[in-house]
Amino acid sequence: MMSVTHPALCRRVALRHCLALIGLAAAAPVLQVTTWTFPVISLPINLYISYLGFRFYTDADRKSSRKLFFCSLWHLPLLLLLMLTCKRPPAAGGAGGEPRT
């Protein structure tokens, strides 16, 4: 509905969220969710979706919106798969403490 009532706002929000993905990928190792390889590996796909978001922001035609939409369909599963493969190993004696025997 936002694309019909407020098209300029829709373009700004799409670009903002695409750029936020780069920051979120960089925040994952700081929050100890992944290793530091995750932001490096995910940077190309995050830059690509940000590029498509910028193209949608500047052009706002049917072609650019479809490319951004179809990229978003494979981007999130790929990003989650990369996050899973780069997850930080559990710390020894972590939150649960020593296992009882």
Side-chain angles (χ1 to χ4, degrees), residues 22-36 38-39 83 86 88:
I22 298 170
L24 288 173
V30 174
L31 298 172
Q32 299 181 350
V33 176
T34 63
T35 61
W36 283 100
F38 173 69
M83 189 177 278
C86 295
R88 186 176 297 262

Side-chain angles (χ1 to χ4, degrees), residues 19-87:
L19 293 173
L21 290 169
I22 298 170
L24 288 173
V30 174
L31 298 172
Q32 299 181 350
V33 176
T34 63
T35 61
W36 283 100
T37 56
F38 173 69
V40 175
I41 293 171
S42 67
L43 185 63
I45 63 170
N46 286 333
L47 286 176
Y48 181 66
I49 199 167
S50 296
Y51 166 73
L52 291 178
F54 180 73
R55 291 281 309 266
F56 175 63
Y57 178 74
T58 57
D59 295 340
D61 58 353
R62 185 180 191 129
K63 182 180 177 184
S64 63
S65 64
R66 283 183 179 261
K67 285 186 95 167
L68 179 61
F69 171 71
F70 286 119
C71 179
S72 71
L73 291 179
W74 59 261
H75 179 268
L76 184 59
L78 183 60
L79 197 68
L80 291 175
L81 182 66
L82 286 174
M83 189 177 278
L84 181 65
T85 58
C86 295
K87 72 177 182 176

